[in-house]
Amino acid sequence: MQELTLAVVGIDFPNGDGSNRRSEAMMTLPGEPVALIPEPKNKHDSNAIAVISPRGVQIGYLSAERAPYIGGRMSRGEDLEAIFQGVDGGLAFIRVRFGGGAPTLPTIAREVSPASVRHRRPPSASEPDAFYPDDEGSEWGA
């Protein structure tokens, strides 16, 4: 089983029916199920995968970098469950789990110290969506 956090882009664009993606994302609670719908006839990207809220309203799309990977696994018939994770700035995030079972929401660190950031391990191939920020230092100042 593999779990990934994936970015949902385009939440600030309106849906064709006039519904508001950002409002829908803000109303969706962490842990609620979302649907992933491939759009092979999408005029902008044949790999596009729409993210649909529990109320049937589109929230956005998986990022263009991740859609081919997720779509490929979906087209091979792999079991996939997806839940809403949250909104941060111009992006929403979902959590997916391959191999059966419900995805779990990651725990949120309450406080990150500079020392803990410096000692994080680098991302590996088994964690393709991992994010490890660069150390902050005096050379970053203006």
Side-chain angles (χ1 to χ4, degrees), residues 41-81:
K41 294 183 180 180
N42 184 300
K43 66 181 179 180
H44 301 289
D45 183 358
S46 62
N47 293 311
I49 299 177
V51 179
I52 310 297
S53 78
R55 288 162 294 285
V57 177
Q58 183 175 357
I59 295 172
Y61 288 94
L62 292 185
S63 69
E65 294 81 19
R66 287 317 218 172
Y69 173 72
I70 300 300
R73 292 186 74 169
M74 290 173 71
S75 68
R76 288 191 298 271
E78 291 190 49
D79 287 335
L80 169 79
E81 294 288 329

Side-chain angles (χ1 to χ4, degrees), residues 12 21 36 39-40 48 67 90 96 105 112 116-117 126 134:
D12 288 321
R21 293 179 184 178
L36 302 181
E39 292 185 355
V96 298
L105 292 172
V112 178
S116 69
V117 170
S126 65
D134 293 330

Side-chain angles (χ1 to χ4, degrees), residues 1-63:
M1 288 172 268
Q2 179 186 23
E3 290 194 18
L4 302 168
T5 293
L6 301 170
V8 179
V9 299
I11 67 171
D12 288 321
F13 289 94
N15 287 322
D17 64 2
S19 58
N20 186 300
R21 293 179 184 178
R22 179 173 285 279
S23 292
E24 187 63 23
M26 298 299 288
M27 291 188 296
T28 305
L29 298 174
E32 285 191 293
V34 294
L36 302 181
I37 310 295
E39 292 185 355
K41 294 183 180 180
N42 184 300
K43 66 181 179 180
H44 301 289
D45 183 358
S46 62
N47 293 311
I49 299 177
V51 179
I52 310 297
S53 78
R55 288 162 294 285
V57 177
Q58 183 175 357
I59 295 172
Y61 288 94
L62 292 185
S63 69

Side-chain angles (χ1 to χ4, degrees), residues 117-118 131-142:
V117 170
R118 276 193 291 277
F131 173 72
Y132 298 92
D134 293 330
D135 294 338
E136 291 185 35
S138 58
E139 69 274 7
W140 296 96

